Amino acid sequence: QVQLVESGGGLVQAGGSLRLSCVVSGPIYILSDMGWYRQAPEKERELVAMMGRGGSTNYDASVKGRFTISRDNAQNTVFLQMNDLKPDDTGVYFCSAEVKPTWNTPFEKYWGQGTQVSVSS
C-alpha cells in the first residue's frame, strides 16, 4: 500500500524557517506530481506548492518568494523549505503524491497524515 509520511513541522516565531519532508513508500510504478497543501482552523484545505516530476512548479501567491518546493526522485521524497514564516501560515500541512502503483493500475492521489506548523507573532 502506498504511504506518505511527513516530518519537520513545529512551532516557530514569525520570520523563522521550517523545512518539511515527505517520503513516499510502497508499490510505485510511476510517481508523478508531488505537492503540499495546508488547512488552517475552520478553513478549506488549500494548495501551497506543487512540483511535477520534470521540475515544473506551481505556488500559491501568498507563499511565492518565501517557500520553495523541491524533490528527490531517487528517494521518492518531496521537501518544502519555508522562510519568513507568518502567523497566517499556521495550519496542518499535508503532503500529496500522484502515484501509479503498478503498470495496470490507474494514477491515484495519495495523502500524508499531516504535520502541524504553528507560527507565533
Side-chain angles (χ1 to χ4, degrees), residues 23-91:
V23 180
V24 184
S25 63
I28 302 172
Y29 183 68
I30 300 175
L31 177 56
S32 183
D33 293 351
M34 301 181 77
W36 292 93
Y37 291 72
R38 69 185 175 195
Q39 188 165 17
E42 301 181 355
K43 290 190 176 181
E44 299 277 325
R45 189 176 297 187
E46 61 179 5
L47 174 68
V48 175
M50 184 68 67
M51 190 170 202
R53 185 172 182 84
S56 61
T57 58
N58 181 33
Y59 293 94
D60 182 76
S62 67
V63 307
K64 277 184 179 178
R66 300 188 297 122
F67 291 10
T68 302
I69 188 170
S70 60
R71 61 191 283 174
D72 182 338
N73 289 330
Q75 300 295 324
N76 297 330
T77 302
V78 64
F79 305 96
L80 186 68
Q81 177 66 43
M82 304 185 293
N83 297 330
D84 190 23
L85 281 159
K86 305 178 186 301
D88 283 348
D89 295 319
T90 294

